[in-house]
Amino acid sequence: MKSRIKPTPLLYALAFLIPALLLLVVYARLGLAPWGDNTILMSDMSSQYVEFFCALKHRDVFFSWSKALGTSYIGVFSYYVSSPLSLLTLLVPNEYMPMGLMFLTVLKVGLAGLTCCIFLRSYLRHSALFLPMLSTCYALCSYTAAYSLCIMWLDGLIWLPVILLGLERILAGQRPWLFFGSLVVCFVSTWYISYMIGIFCCVWLVYREWCEVPAWKDLLRHIRSFLLSALAALGVTAWMWVPSLLAIFSGKLGDATMDYSSLTNFPLWQLPSRLFSGQSAGLTNFAPPYLFCGTVILMLALIFFFSPAISGRNKLAAGAVLMVLVLSLWLSPLDKVWHLFKMPNWFPYRYSFVFSFFLVVLAGQVLAALPKSFTTWRLAPVVTLVLFCLTAWELGYNTQTTMLDIREVFHCQSYADYVSYYQDNEALVEQAQEADTDFYRMGATYDRGDNSPLSFGYAGITHYSSIYNKQVNTFLKQLGFAQGWMWSVYYGSTPVTDSLLGIRYVLSDQEFPGYEEAGHSGSLALWKNPDALPLAYVAQGQVSTILPRGYTPFETQTYLLNQLTGSTQEVFSPIDLEVQEGEGQIILRIHGTGNPVYAYLDQNGFTALSVDGEHRCSLTPYEEQRIHYLGTPAEGETLEVTIACNTTLSNLDWEALVQQLDQDALRDALALLDNTQVDTVNNSRVSLQATTDTPSTLVTTIPAEDGWTAYVDGKKVDTGVCWDTFLTVELTPGTHQVTFRYTSPGLTLGLGLGGITVVAFVGWLVWKRKKA
């Protein structure tokens, strides 16, 4: 580190281009668009990431109305798409986003190879002969192949070598700017993986100090620079990670997650096999870790411990690091520490790339210790080229095999289907937005994922991510919507829920009774609900703070409506039906009255639904365990509903589970609630006018999350909560201007920490200048 090493542009170009081109070749062989009709849209890449990247164009950062009725968004933004490289997707039309994400993945893999080469060039202080091979082994390790579906984690691979290079400069007595700066960018890009990199930095610091044995004075100076730089980086980026941590702890990290009952994650004898190529893919909680980074790396890492050119102290320190990493992978308590003290739900061992990186470093030390006679040997370039070609083939083969295994399990979406889906939906969303410019929500029963509102930029219900609102999910489930842990979806709506939640438009390939068809595109129609209520309304009765338990969804919807209107109107009622229970099925014969009929089918034993002999859907996926619209049989007509089941289901109250809706009674009730005028709705402010003749409760359909502040006629007032879910405000008689303002929880604290950090830094600079 004492002598400045002259960069070699060609060397760095090769380190970037070789892994990037290898991955492109693999993608072409897999038939990904534009070379075929396949895409990288598998697993979470399909159901989450592609939609979040599409959502970047809508400029949501701290809050989004497109997320589960309107909730905090900073956790989603910082966890999934906050990388500066994500800005490149703004240049990609959303209908072509699968291709854009494929090329973004290639770019990130190439950058990982580049940064690894830069680190090794400086750390090894040796010939560049082997560096492209070593950096390619790191960039295309098995972790990359398997976890590229979680594209934001690849930023960790890019920044790990740069951060360690900055740490090496601290150990060499140089200034800590590179370490501090790379930590800042890494925290912004992927704060979750940054936590794991931070743990490895601590391990690396101990490893290097063990090898070098500095004086106590130097050791304390290194530790001081390390800690102060890390704390400064945390302070500067606190505006992002403080609100993000609060958001994610209110969701996945604050909920029950996957946990292991045993002390160990897998039999230890399985671990060595994961160091070889061609291992079967596994992304579930019980899959062993991905550790392969090239056979040549494994062989050289073994030689490291037998090479006479490597000091015994270095070997002992390296062995201790490997032992720590192996124990972390094997023992579930240590594994849990690496994952923010929560076992991950699928994609386990999210830090395993540091194991591959360390093996590459050990291999590089062996090559750096080769005698000078080898580098001057005439055949050295030929041997290197042959070895590199074999390694490149092996890495490509392993990447392709891993991705094929993942595709076999999760399948991938057709590129043509994605483009067709996006174009049809986008055309109808734009039509709705041009027709109505005020605030309203939309629903969709034709989704390719669970984040379509974010993708198309409309306010909606459907959402799936690790940062979810548990109470919103619970509320929607009790109303009869489909809901499964982190998922909340629109499936299961009725005209009651649509109207109360302000859902004015629905994108669907099905018929919606009582709605008006407002547009058509492909197989989709745009249905308009004429009775959708605004974002807030003055209740005519007393609303409770809690949501009652033990009710059927029809009873819950009636309960909410009656509380709001101050009446006892039964908009849902039983319908005359006959029940015939047979072997493996239940037949319901429903005698029509001209009203739409709905059934709540949430029993685990139900397997399929048919109406009048026509198969409707399977009832086993979570999104089908909900309220189903069965039809609107006229008076004198009979609707025959067949429900297949795989177990004996008895004592079911079908009169309570199958109900008809009185649309006229519903319309009369909703007319009592259309009593506000909403003026402004954006991601930080809601403004409206409300009039009441008596002391009343203003009920909003804004989820009651921390961060909202209410003002009535310019004066700050306390907010309440109704049904455990929505914000409320108490009003006195008269006409009032009501304003709600949103500030992301933790943002003020984060900005304060950042300000303190900057002031402390400036103060330190002034002190240093005066001292000098």
Side-chain angles (χ1 to χ4, degrees):
M1 294 295 299
K2 293 181 179 179
S3 61
R4 186 177 296 275
I5 301 171
K6 185 179 180 180
T8 306
L10 177 60
L11 171 68
Y12 294 156
L14 290 174
F16 173 84
L17 289 174
I18 291 173
L21 291 176
L22 274 174
L23 186 57
L24 269 181
V25 170
V26 170
Y27 283 156
R29 289 179 59 85
L30 293 173
L32 271 61
W35 301 284
D37 192 41
N38 295 320
T39 65
I40 60 173
L41 301 188
M42 298 177 285
S43 184
D44 287 352
M45 180 68 85
S46 177
S47 58
Q48 296 189 76
Y49 302 102
V50 66
E51 311 286 6
F52 297 150
F53 280 97
C54 288
L56 274 176
K57 294 182 175 66
H58 307 304
R59 300 181 296 278
D60 294 335
V61 176
F62 291 100
F63 182 89
S64 176
W65 291 104
S66 300
K67 177 179 175 283
L69 293 175
T71 50
S72 170
Y73 193 68
I74 182 61
V76 172
F77 175 79
S78 64
Y79 187 77
Y80 293 96
V81 294
S82 61
S83 166
L85 294 173
S86 299
L87 296 176
L88 294 173
T89 62
L90 296 177
L91 305 175
V92 182
N94 284 354
E95 61 191 275
Y96 305 127
M97 193 58 72
M99 269 200 297
L101 293 183
M102 180 195 70
F103 285 112
L104 180 60
T105 303
V106 170
L107 173 64
K108 289 190 175 187
V109 168
L111 289 175
L114 172 61
T115 58
C116 182
C117 183
I118 292 173
F119 171 80
L120 293 175
R121 173 81 168 170
S122 176
Y123 180 72
L124 299 177
R125 305 192 295 275
H126 199 264
S127 168
L129 196 59
F130 294 104
L131 294 187
M133 180 182 69
L134 294 174
S135 58
T136 300
C137 288
Y138 170 68
L140 285 179
C141 61
S142 281
Y143 179 96
T144 301
Y147 289 8
S148 60
L149 297 181
C150 299
I151 188 172
M152 77 286 192
W153 294 347
L154 296 183
D155 284 67
L157 276 78
I158 297 172
W159 289 105
L160 172 64
V162 182
I163 291 169
L164 292 182
L165 180 59
L167 182 52
E168 283 294 313
R169 290 188 177 180
I170 290 177
L171 300 182
Q174 299 181 26
R175 295 182 181 275
W177 303 127
L178 180 61
F179 183 65
F180 164 76
S182 55
L183 279 177
V184 168
V185 180
C186 193
F187 288 160
V188 171
S189 299
T190 173
W191 64 266
Y192 179 64
I193 299 297
S194 297
Y195 165 78
M196 303 171 192
I197 291 176
I199 294 178
F200 185 70
C201 283
C202 296
V203 174
W204 182 269
L205 178 63
V206 174
Y207 163 68
R208 293 290 289 123
E209 299 289 29
W210 190 346
C211 292
E212 299 297 329
V213 197
W216 276 105
K217 181 180 178 181
D218 293 333
L219 175 62
L220 293 176
R221 187 177 69 251
H222 297 164
I223 295 175
R224 182 186 62 195
S225 296
F226 172 82
L227 292 177
L228 289 178
S229 299
L231 289 173
L234 284 171
V236 169
T237 57
W239 65 271
M240 173 175 282
W241 64 261
V242 171
S244 299
L245 273 180
L246 292 177
I248 197 170
F249 271 103
S250 69
K252 183 177 178 180
L253 289 186
D255 210 344
T257 59
M258 184 64 194
D259 214 338
Y260 302 146
S261 57
S262 64
L263 175 65
T264 60
N265 292 332
F266 51 84
L268 192 57
W269 58 264
Q270 291 182 356
L271 194 63
S273 66
R274 306 303 295 180
L275 295 166
F276 296 94
S277 66
Q279 297 296 311
S280 59
L283 301 178
T284 66
N285 297 299
F286 302 102
Y290 285 95
L291 302 178
F292 171 76
C293 54
T295 302
V296 64
I297 298 297
L298 177 60
M299 294 175 62
L300 289 171
L302 290 174
I303 293 172
F304 174 91
F305 291 98
F306 298 96
S307 172
I310 307 295
S311 70
R313 190 176 189 86
N314 196 345
K315 294 174 185 177
L316 186 61
V321 172
L322 288 176
M323 181 63 69
V324 168
L325 296 178
V326 168
L327 290 176
S328 297
L329 297 167
W330 183 47
L331 300 176
S332 57
L334 288 179
D335 184 33
K336 201 171 185 179
V337 171
W338 285 83
H339 290 107
L340 272 174
F341 301 92
K342 281 285 185 179
M343 282 299 188
N345 183 49
W346 288 37
F347 295 94
Y349 315 109
R350 299 173 182 183
Y351 56 91
S352 61
F353 66 93
V354 302
F355 190 98
S356 299
F357 176 82
F358 192 69
L359 290 183
V360 169
V361 170
L362 297 185
Q365 291 188 59
V366 172
L367 295 175
L370 287 173
K372 291 185 178 180
S373 58
F374 178 81
T375 57
T376 58
W377 182 34
R378 187 174 300 177
L379 294 180
V382 176
V383 173
T384 303
L385 180 61
V386 171
L387 183 61
F388 185 40
C389 288
L390 291 174
T391 300
W393 175 87
E394 182 185 41
L395 292 170
Y397 164 78
N398 180 72
T399 300
Q400 182 171 325
T401 300
T402 302
M403 290 184 173
L404 282 173
D405 285 344
I406 294 173
R407 181 193 293 181
E408 186 176 342
V409 176
F410 296 104
H411 309 290
C412 70
Q413 181 165 19
S414 157
Y415 182 71
D417 289 347
Y418 176 89
V419 172
S420 175
Y421 161 83
Y422 200 92
Q423 290 175 342
D424 287 347
N425 278 268
E426 186 176 43
L428 294 178
V429 170
E430 289 178 352
Q431 183 175 335
Q433 291 172 342
E434 290 173 1
D436 292 335
T437 57
D438 59 329
F439 179 85
Y440 55 86
R441 293 189 175 101
M442 295 181 67
T445 66
Y446 185 75
D447 290 319
R448 53 157 301 281
D450 293 331
N451 285 294
S452 53
L454 284 163
S455 182
F456 296 104
Y458 60 81
I461 288 178
T462 300
H463 180 67
Y464 163 44
S465 76
S466 295
I467 298 88
Y468 55 92
N469 185 305
K470 290 179 285 188
Q471 189 51 51
V472 168
N473 287 5
T474 301
F475 176 78
L476 292 174
K477 179 65 175 177
Q478 290 186 254
L479 288 183
F481 288 92
Q483 198 280 316
W485 192 27
M486 295 185 288
W487 298 263
S488 60
V489 293
Y490 174 73
Y491 305 113
S493 69
T494 70
V496 177
T497 56
D498 277 358
S499 298
L500 292 181
L501 297 177
I503 297 172
R504 188 180 301 172
Y505 288 99
V506 180
L507 299 162
S508 181
D509 55 354
Q510 305 164 16
E511 181 183 357
F512 272 67
Y515 290 20
E516 306 162 359
E517 186 173 342
H520 206 88
S521 179
S523 61
L524 287 181
L526 180 67
W527 298 93
K528 184 173 183 178
N529 174 16
D531 302 313
L533 293 174
L535 185 62
Y537 28 81
V538 178
Q540 305 301 301
Q542 295 293 321
V543 293
S544 62
T545 57
I546 62 172
L547 189 66
R549 303 297 194 264
Y551 285 8
T552 69
F554 302 116
E555 291 171 333
T556 300
Q557 292 181 33
T558 300
Y559 174 84
L560 266 56
L561 190 61
N562 287 343
Q563 281 204 337
L564 291 169
T565 59
S567 66
T568 57
Q569 177 69 49
E570 297 292 332
V571 293
F572 283 107
S573 62
I575 191 168
D576 184 22
L577 57 81
E578 302 171 23
V579 181
Q580 179 183 334
E581 298 185 4
E583 185 67 30
Q585 67 177 18
I586 299 171
I587 298 176
L588 307 176
R589 292 184 179 86
I590 301 170
H591 303 294
T593 61
N595 290 326
V597 182
Y598 298 86
Y600 181 57
L601 305 176
D602 191 34
Q603 297 291 329
N604 289 329
F606 294 155
T607 59
L609 171 66
S610 299
V611 178
D612 285 339
E614 181 181 346
H615 176 76
R616 283 281 186 89
C617 63
S618 168
L619 295 176
T620 52
Y622 85 92
E623 63 266 22
E624 301 298 351
Q625 297 175 8
R626 56 178 173 86
I627 289 178
H628 288 260
Y629 168 63
L630 300 179
T632 308
E635 245 186 284
E637 290 185 355
T638 299
L639 201 66
E640 185 170 287
V641 178
T642 303
I643 302 171
C645 48
N646 56 16
T647 186
T648 301
L649 296 171
S650 57
N651 299 323
L652 293 178
D653 185 359
W654 286 106
E655 286 193 355
L657 297 178
V658 179
Q659 300 262 296
Q660 61 180 329
L661 174 65
D662 188 334
Q663 292 177 296
D664 292 334
L666 173 62
R667 195 163 288 118
D668 292 341
L670 294 172
L672 299 174
L673 300 175
D674 194 6
N675 48 27
T676 59
Q677 176 64 48
V678 178
D679 302 321
T680 304
V681 178
N682 56 42
N683 287 357
S684 60
R685 184 171 180 266
V686 173
S687 178
L688 57 93
Q689 291 184 6
T691 301
T692 177
D693 297 328
T694 61
S696 304
T697 301
L698 178 72
V699 174
T700 75
T701 54
I702 304 172
E705 292 188 323
D706 292 338
W708 284 104
T709 305
Y711 300 84
V712 176
D713 300 327
K715 296 181 180 180
K716 184 178 178 180
V717 297
D718 294 332
T719 58
V721 178
C722 67
W723 311 316
D724 298 319
T725 307
F726 294 129
L727 285 174
T728 63
V729 167
E730 297 302 320
L731 298 178
T732 58
T735 299
H736 302 281
Q737 184 71 34
V738 183
T739 302
F740 295 91
R741 297 186 183 277
Y742 180 79
T743 302
S744 184
L747 178 61
T748 303
L749 173 60
L751 291 173
L753 290 174
I756 292 172
T757 302
V758 171
V759 170
F761 174 71
V762 172
W764 177 79
L765 286 179
V766 172
W767 177 78
K768 289 283 288 185
R769 177 170 295 183
K770 287 183 178 180
K771 186 178 179 182

